[in-house]
């Protein structure tokens, strides 16, 4: 009876073992199903990738796990570790770069199971600071026919080896993960496109409604930052010489030090991007041979430089950066930003063309007004003056004759003033403050201290022929002369004439008390000194009818006449 009893015990033990295996298999299938449901509930790609690693670790009792994302060119683009705390991560010298066993899985995307990592011929060891690891299970994750990345698991609980069941269940999870990743990528791509279209429409609308350029550039930077999850975004524009890039706008928590930075185009990373037709994606923390002075000292790692325009229409560079240690910009993000910036550059070009057309329309209107003044108004005033001059000889009474002569003189002055206005209308510019207008400002500003408005005559091509340095002296001379009259002369009338012929002459006359007998007055020495600095002359004298006459003259060099 002993033998049958032993056989029964063995059968019961075997049955119990098989029941335990069935229960364990059922539990693992349930765990796999729960993991598949869990990773399929989210559409945020970054969160999903971490969930996949955590689910795989739970299914096979692994202590460490990671997911390596493979780029289009077969390089390790991102590395997402799980199971390491912040101190352990900080102690690692550098992240895996896709060499050794990780590179083997990228080159040959098939499941790989090892008892000891160090014993494989492709093993290159671990970087300094990396915790020791032994057992290894690697499984590729495919999205349709494309290898999205690889799932890496190490250190099974109890130092046990990963077995065939572990490999099978992780392969099953990886298959489900591929579907979830595809859904998440489609969702993110759709959301990016919606954001991009909305941002492009907003920027175009702002430009076409006449918004300031810096305001629009700042909007471009803000929208680019939100689309790319960048920590810092800035736009550097080229100067008029085409030799330097200057940061016009910046957006982000660390943007303040960037404003106004200037760097050469030649020999710099930003300059290379400016002259390129394609974006440049680089990790600044590792790129020691590529100087990027515009982005130095900001703690940036992954950096994306996108040219704003291309070729002769290049306007600047959009610079996007993430903090050191962050993930690189995805190829899809790079393509989207390149397209977005291209649309923004076209919108800027259209806005500039529209602004030029409006400016041209204004200039055409001014030119038409100038022609009408010259061809109609001046000719009529000249005819009236000639008619009055013909009447003077027929007037016997001296008083009416004097009045008519005064009217002719006033018409002559009006004609000269009108010609001066015509010249100003035909030589207007928005980027330069013309000397003629500055003279008017000085004379108008003196009206209050004088107690009346001075009479001003401007003759000749003042704006086109007077150099800037001489113009500064002219303004100072007028200001000093009018100030002296207001303080000392007690005048009720001031006549000012500014004439340009072989040089520039300033004449100021008043009907005040006149100069002292010794011919000196405080302030006149400054006017004489300014004339001497210009190689000209200054004269102050008493008027025969009372008051003072000042004459200040400066020559104009021939090369300044053009």
């Amino acid at each position: 009876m002993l033998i049958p009893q032993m056989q029964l015990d063995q059968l019961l033990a075997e049955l119990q073992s098989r029941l335990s295996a069935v229960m364990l298999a059922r539990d693992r299938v349930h765990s796999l199903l729960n993991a598949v449901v869990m990773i399929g509930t989210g559409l945020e790609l970054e969160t999903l990738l971490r969930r996949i690693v955590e689910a795989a670790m739970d299914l096979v009792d692994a202590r460490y796990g990671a997911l390596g994302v493979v780029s289009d060119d077969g390089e390790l683009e991102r590395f997402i570790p799980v199971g390491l705390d912040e101190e352990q991560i900080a102690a690692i010298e550098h992240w895996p770069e896709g060499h050794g066993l990780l590179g083997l899985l990228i080159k040959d995307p098939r499941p790989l199971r090892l008892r000891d990592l160090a014993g494989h011929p492709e093993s290159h060891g671990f970087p300094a600071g990396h915790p020791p690891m032994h057992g290894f299970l690697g499984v590729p994750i495919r999205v349709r026919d494309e290898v999205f990345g690889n799932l890496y698991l190490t250190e099974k609980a109890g130092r046990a080896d990963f077995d065939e069941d572990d490999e099978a269940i992780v392969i099953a999870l990886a298959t489900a993960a591929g579907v979830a990743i595809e859904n998440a990528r489609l969702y993110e791509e759709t959301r990016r496109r919606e954001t991009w279209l909305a941002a492009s429409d907003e920027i175009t609308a702002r430009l076409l409604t006449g918004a300031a350029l810096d305001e629009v550039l700042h909007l471009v930077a803000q929208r680019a930052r939100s689309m790319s999850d960048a920590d810092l975004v800035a736009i550097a524009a080229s100067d008029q010489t085409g030799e330097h890039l200057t940061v016009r706008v910046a957006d982000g928590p660390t943007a303040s030090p960037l404003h106004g930075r200037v760097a050469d185009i030649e020999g710099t990373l930003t300059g290379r991007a400016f002259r390129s037709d394609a974006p440049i994606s680089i990790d600044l923390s590792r790129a020691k041979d590529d100087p990027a002075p515009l982005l130095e000292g900001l703690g940036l790692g992954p950096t994306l430089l996108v040219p704003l325009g291309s070729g002769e229409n290049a306007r600047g560079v959009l610079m996007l950066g993430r903090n050191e240690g962050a993930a690189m910009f995805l190829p899809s993000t790079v393509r989207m930003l390149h397209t977005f910036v291209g649309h923004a550059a076209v919108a800027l070009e259209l806005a500039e063309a529209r602004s030029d057309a409006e400016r041209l329309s204004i200039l055409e209107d001014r030119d038409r007004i100038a022609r009408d003044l010259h061809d109609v108004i001046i000719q009529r005033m000249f005819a009236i003056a000639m008619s009055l001059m013909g009447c003077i000889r027929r007037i016997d009474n001296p008083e009416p004759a004097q009045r008519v002569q005064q009217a002719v003189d006033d018409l002559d002055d009006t004609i000269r003033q009108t010609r001066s206005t015509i010249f100003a209308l035909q030589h207007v510019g928005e980027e330069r403050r013309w000397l003629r207008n500055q003279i008017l400002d000085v004379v108008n500003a003196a009206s209050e201290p004088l107690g009346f408005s001075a009479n001003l005559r401007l003759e000749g091509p003042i704006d086109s022929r007077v150099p800037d340095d001489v113009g500064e002296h002219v303004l100072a001379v007028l200001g000093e002369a009018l100030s002296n009259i207001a303080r000392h002369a007690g005048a009720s009338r001031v006549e000012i004439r500014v004439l340009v012929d072989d040089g520039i002459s300033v004449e100021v006359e008043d009907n005040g008390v006149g100069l002292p007998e010794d011919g000196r007055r405080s302030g006149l020495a400054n006017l004489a000194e300014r004339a001497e600095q210009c190689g000209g002359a200054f004269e102050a004298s008493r008027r025969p009818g009372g008051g003072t006459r000042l004459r200040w003259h400066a020559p104009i060099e021939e090369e300044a006449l053009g």
Side-chain angles (χ1 to χ4, degrees), residues 84-128:
L84 299 173
D85 57 32
E86 293 183 2
E87 293 183 1
Q88 289 175 309
I89 292 175
I92 299 175
E93 184 178 3
H94 63 82
W95 284 122
E97 299 174 346
H99 307 303
L101 284 174
L102 302 191
L104 177 63
L105 274 172
I106 294 174
K107 291 181 289 186
D108 186 14
R110 292 184 296 176
L112 179 64
R113 181 161 44 92
L114 300 172
R115 173 175 292 182
D116 187 7
L117 281 166
H120 195 279
E122 292 285 342
S123 176
H124 288 183
F126 299 103

Side-chain angles (χ1 to χ4, degrees), residues 206-207 210-217:
R206 290 283 188 90
L207 285 169
L213 179 59
D214 280 354
E215 177 186 343
V216 176
L217 291 179

Side-chain angles (χ1 to χ4, degrees), residues 361-393:
S361 177
I362 293 172
L363 291 176
E364 288 176 347
D365 285 343
R366 298 178 73 99
D367 189 57
R368 177 181 56 78
I369 294 170
R371 287 199 308 271
D372 289 346
L373 286 173
H374 181 272
D375 297 342
V376 179
I377 306 300
I378 286 183
Q379 299 305 322
R380 288 186 178 180
M381 286 191 294
F382 185 75
I384 293 170
M386 293 295 292
S387 176
L388 290 175
M389 288 180 65
C391 295
I392 293 176
R393 299 187 184 92

Side-chain angles (χ1 to χ4, degrees), residues 7-216:
Q7 290 177 345
L8 180 60
D9 290 343
Q10 289 176 354
L11 289 172
L12 290 174
E14 184 178 351
L15 179 61
Q16 185 176 4
S17 175
R18 293 190 178 186
L19 285 173
S20 298
V22 170
M23 295 293 290
L24 179 60
R26 184 199 66 178
D27 292 342
R28 297 193 77 175
V29 170
H30 284 170
S31 298
L32 175 61
L33 291 175
N34 289 334
V36 170
V37 171
M38 180 187 66
I39 65 176
T41 55
L43 289 175
E44 294 289 340
L45 186 58
E46 291 298 323
T47 304
L48 173 62
L49 297 181
R50 184 166 290 274
R51 281 182 181 178
I52 292 171
V53 180
E54 292 172 348
M57 291 169 60
D58 291 338
L59 288 173
V60 298
D61 291 330
R63 182 177 179 183
Y64 303 113
L67 196 152
V69 180
V70 180
S71 65
D72 294 339
D73 56 1
E75 299 293 331
L76 189 61
E77 183 180 272
R78 276 185 294 170
F79 192 77
I80 304 169
V82 178
L84 299 173
D85 57 32
E86 293 183 2
E87 293 183 1
Q88 289 175 309
I89 292 175
I92 299 175
E93 184 178 3
H94 63 82
W95 284 122
E97 299 174 346
H99 307 303
L101 284 174
L102 302 191
L104 177 63
L105 274 172
I106 294 174
K107 291 181 289 186
D108 186 14
R110 292 184 296 176
L112 179 64
R113 181 161 44 92
L114 300 172
R115 173 175 292 182
D116 187 7
L117 281 166
H120 195 279
E122 292 285 342
S123 176
H124 288 183
F126 299 103
H130 198 287
M133 296 179 182
H134 302 88
F136 175 81
L137 175 59
V139 175
I141 298 177
R142 298 179 183 272
V143 176
R144 295 187 179 179
D145 297 330
E146 170 195 355
V147 176
F148 175 81
N150 292 298
L151 189 58
Y152 309 112
L153 302 163
T154 62
E155 293 299 282
K156 187 175 176 68
R159 296 292 297 274
D161 296 335
F162 293 106
D163 56 26
E164 292 182 0
D165 291 338
D166 295 330
E167 182 178 326
I169 200 167
V170 173
I171 290 174
L173 178 68
T175 302
V179 177
I181 289 171
E182 182 180 23
N183 292 336
R185 289 169 73 179
L186 289 173
Y187 169 75
E188 287 203 350
E189 185 71 19
T190 301
R191 191 177 62 177
R192 282 197 198 98
R193 287 183 181 275
E194 290 177 353
T195 305
W196 166 61
L197 289 172
S200 295
D201 290 344
E202 185 180 7
I203 290 166
T204 302
R206 290 283 188 90
L207 285 169
L208 295 180
T209 53
L213 179 59
D214 280 354
E215 177 186 343
V216 176

Side-chain angles (χ1 to χ4, degrees), residues 326-372:
M328 294 291 289
F329 291 93
L330 294 174
S332 58
T333 301
V334 175
R335 289 192 295 269
M336 176 194 64
L337 284 170
H338 191 202
T339 305
F340 168 70
V341 172
H343 281 221
V346 171
L348 288 170
E349 188 172 348
L350 290 175
E352 288 181 4
R354 176 173 173 268
S355 177
D356 290 342
E358 291 177 351
R359 188 180 300 111
L360 179 61
S361 177
I362 293 172
L363 291 176
E364 288 176 347
D365 285 343
R366 298 178 73 99
D367 189 57
R368 177 181 56 78
I369 294 170
R371 287 199 308 271
D372 289 346

Side-chain angles (χ1 to χ4, degrees), residues 252-417:
T254 59
S256 297
L258 260 177
H259 288 284
R261 281 193 179 183
V262 181
D264 293 337
I265 291 178
E266 289 294 335
T268 62
L269 185 63
T270 47
R272 182 153 57 92
F274 173 73
R275 291 181 174 167
S276 172
D277 292 333
I280 296 176
S281 183
I282 194 170
D283 191 337
L284 279 186
S285 61
R286 300 180 183 178
K288 306 302 181 185
D289 298 331
D290 286 310
L294 290 180
L295 299 173
E296 285 180 353
L298 300 173
L300 297 179
T303 302
L304 180 62
L305 305 174
V306 186
L308 190 62
S310 61
E312 295 181 356
N313 296 322
R315 284 170 167 75
V317 178
L318 177 69
M319 304 177 291
L320 306 97
R322 290 174 178 166
N323 293 332
E324 191 172 349
M328 294 291 289
F329 291 93
L330 294 174
S332 58
T333 301
V334 175
R335 289 192 295 269
M336 176 194 64
L337 284 170
H338 191 202
T339 305
F340 168 70
V341 172
H343 281 221
V346 171
L348 288 170
E349 188 172 348
L350 290 175
E352 288 181 4
R354 176 173 173 268
S355 177
D356 290 342
E358 291 177 351
R359 188 180 300 111
L360 179 61
S361 177
I362 293 172
L363 291 176
E364 288 176 347
D365 285 343
R366 298 178 73 99
D367 189 57
R368 177 181 56 78
I369 294 170
R371 287 199 308 271
D372 289 346
L373 286 173
H374 181 272
D375 297 342
V376 179
I377 306 300
I378 286 183
Q379 299 305 322
R380 288 186 178 180
M381 286 191 294
F382 185 75
I384 293 170
M386 293 295 292
S387 176
L388 290 175
M389 288 180 65
C391 295
I392 293 176
R393 299 187 184 92
R394 301 179 182 181
I395 299 175
D396 297 330
N397 192 330
E399 184 176 350
Q402 181 63 31
R403 285 189 176 184
V404 173
Q405 182 62 50
Q406 182 62 45
V408 172
D409 293 342
D410 289 343
L411 280 171
D412 188 47
D413 286 343
T414 304
I415 290 172
R416 280 195 291 267
Q417 292 285 357

